[in-house]
Amino acid sequence: MAIKVLIVDDSALIRSLLTEIIDAQPDLQVVGTAPDPLAARERIKELNPDVLTLDVEMPKMDGLAFLEKLMRLRPMPVVMVSSLTEKSSAVTLKALEMGAFDFVTKPKIDIRSGIMEYAGDLTEKIRCAYLSGRRNKVARQAQLSPVQEKLSADAVLPSRRDHFSSTEKVIAVGASTGGTEALKTFLAALPPDCPGILVTQHMPETFTRTFAARLNGLCQLAVKEAEHGERVLPGHAYIAPGNRHLMLARSGANYTVALGDGPPVSRHRPSVDVLFRSAANCAAANSLGIIMTGMGDDGAAGMLEMHAAGARTIAQDEESCVVFGMPREAIARGGVDEVVPLGDIAGRLLGWLASHGRRSFRV
């Protein structure tokens, strides 16, 4: 039986394009559309959809107000459809905090071709949202099919070992679907003198700056969008900018940030595989890699490289993941030292640091 989808968007063109994309999939079916939340309320009662796509900015009632009522009165899987603006970015991130499963972005220009480029991403997220709602985690990734050529980290960064003498530690973290909340939980639990942290979260431009600012207000660490060439400092977390690869580099005895515009790796830019390879190259046993909730397998190959280079590696466990795709693949390839619940990851990191000479933290 096909997954039933209700589209809520005030644009007739967007409703038409999303219907075309979704109905082209044999396992998905648009059972109805609504131009605003008030109409959507009636359509939900009438059609009992499995998944909702919800526009952020709409007349009569904004997407956040509707989502709040929906999650309180009739919880269901929701994929937000957001514009690439600062305002929409903030609203979308708030929607994820309120329980939306994930989001896709609307293009600013050439809407038809732009939306079609997101077709594979949209349909994958609808499937995962549905399966997440049913808590059928084992079957999630088996139902996803590749939609474009898949490149490895070789397309951006060669594998090598930089030989140097250093005891400075660095943390590399990768996440995707469900990662915004997972990262908030993890980073908020860390003390202000933690080693520098580099984070690749699959997220488009505009959103990463808003996301970093939101985390910065919640954490003892200083959280910012990464800038090319800046030094990686203790007590700081650096978020990969949307559409840029984030890499660890070295300048003399210091770790630095490098950003790249190379092709997507594992179908993503930024790519977790690229970040993890750079950590294996530059920090090796002085690094710790963490892979969190997310669709697909980005980061699995890179985590195996970190593990082979002597790094400590941690994967989020299935029960605490929104989507157990990326961690599962990393575990299956043999690159993970331990699998732990989200709430325990910060503690394991601090334990590893303590065992390597960092014995006191200002919590």
Side-chain angles (χ1 to χ4, degrees), residues 15 68 100 132 144 146-147 149 151 175-176 182-183 226 258 282 316 326 351:
R15 294 198 301 271
E68 187 276 330
S132 175
L144 304 184
V147 295
E149 182 184 7
L151 301 178
S176 186
L183 287 166
C282 293
Q316 184 180 347
M326 289 163 50

Side-chain angles (χ1 to χ4, degrees), residues 2 29 38 42 81 97 105 111 137 210 216 220 284 298 313:
Q29 178 190 6
L38 298 184
E42 300 306 315
V81 180
E97 293 179 4
T105 53
I111 293 177
K137 297 184 176 184
T210 305
N216 187 57
Q220 297 183 76
D298 187 27
T313 54

Side-chain angles (χ1 to χ4, degrees), residues 26-348:
D27 58 336
L28 305 178
Q29 178 190 6
V30 174
V31 292
T33 66
D36 59 66
L38 298 184
R41 183 176 58 188
E42 300 306 315
R43 300 294 273 166
I44 290 171
K45 295 176 183 177
E46 174 190 353
L47 301 169
N48 193 30
D50 299 310
V51 179
L52 198 73
T53 71
L54 179 62
D55 190 12
V56 168
E57 299 175 353
M58 290 179 294
K60 298 185 181 180
M61 181 185 295
D62 66 63
L64 273 188
F66 179 66
L67 182 66
E68 187 276 330
K69 294 179 182 296
L70 184 70
M71 291 303 174
R72 178 164 46 87
L73 301 174
R74 193 194 186 285
M76 64 183 299
V78 176
V79 177
M80 304 300 292
V81 180
S82 175
S83 300
L84 285 169
T85 65
E86 291 285 352
K87 179 181 177 182
S88 292
S89 300
V91 171
T92 302
L93 291 174
K94 182 64 176 176
L96 296 177
E97 293 179 4
M98 293 170 60
F101 176 79
D102 207 335
F103 69 96
V104 294
T105 53
K106 293 180 182 178
K108 293 180 180 178
I109 57 175
D110 196 2
I111 293 177
R112 169 171 278 278
S113 62
I115 285 286
M116 290 303 175
E117 288 180 6
Y118 290 115
D121 193 35
L122 170 67
T123 53
E124 285 186 358
K125 288 179 178 180
I126 289 172
R127 292 187 185 99
C128 279
Y130 170 72
L131 292 170
S132 175
R134 293 174 60 87
R135 307 300 295 171
N136 185 4
K137 297 184 176 184
V138 175
R140 279 188 186 128
Q141 295 302 314
Q143 296 198 18
L144 304 184
S145 57
V147 295
Q148 64 185 83
E149 182 184 7
K150 186 176 182 180
L151 301 178
S152 74
D154 293 335
V156 174
L157 183 69
S159 178
R160 66 178 188 276
R161 295 291 179 267
D162 292 340
H163 299 286
F164 58 90
S165 178
S166 174
T167 59
E168 186 179 2
K169 303 298 187 285
V170 67
I171 316 303
V173 184
S176 186
T177 300
T180 55
E181 289 303 289
L183 287 166
K184 182 176 74 172
T185 298
F186 167 65
L187 293 174
L190 295 177
D193 59 345
C194 190
I197 302 172
L198 274 64
V199 177
T200 289
Q201 159 74 40
H202 296 158
M203 190 175 284
E205 296 171 85
T206 305
F207 283 78
T208 46
R209 187 178 302 109
T210 305
F211 180 52
R214 183 181 293 270
L215 290 176
N216 187 57
L218 298 171
C219 300
Q220 297 183 76
L221 298 168
V223 185
K224 67 185 298 291
E225 189 178 56
E227 298 178 52
H228 182 74
E230 67 181 320
R231 184 179 171 187
V232 176
L233 297 172
H236 288 67
Y238 304 87
I239 308 295
N243 208 32
R244 306 287 305 279
H245 288 303
L246 173 65
M247 293 165 280
L248 182 69
R250 293 194 68 88
S251 177
N254 298 320
Y255 293 123
T256 60
V257 168
L259 300 178
D261 296 319
V265 170
S266 300
R267 305 191 186 97
H268 294 283
R269 186 174 59 219
S271 165
V272 181
D273 274 330
V274 171
L275 171 61
F276 284 175
R277 171 169 288 185
S278 72
N281 285 352
C282 293
N286 286 319
S287 64
L288 183 143
I290 300 169
I291 193 162
M292 293 181 169
T293 175
M295 294 190 300
D297 62 0
D298 187 27
M303 179 153 277
L304 182 59
E305 292 182 30
M306 288 187 70
H307 185 269
R312 186 69 178 172
T313 54
I314 296 174
Q316 184 180 347
D317 76 345
E318 181 175 5
E319 187 60 32
S320 64
C321 280
V322 173
V323 178
F324 191 58
M326 289 163 50
R328 184 182 63 197
E329 289 299 322
I331 295 164
R333 298 188 195 193
V336 175
D337 289 315
E338 56 181 333
V339 182
V340 299
L342 173 62
D344 294 344
I345 293 177
R348 298 299 176 89

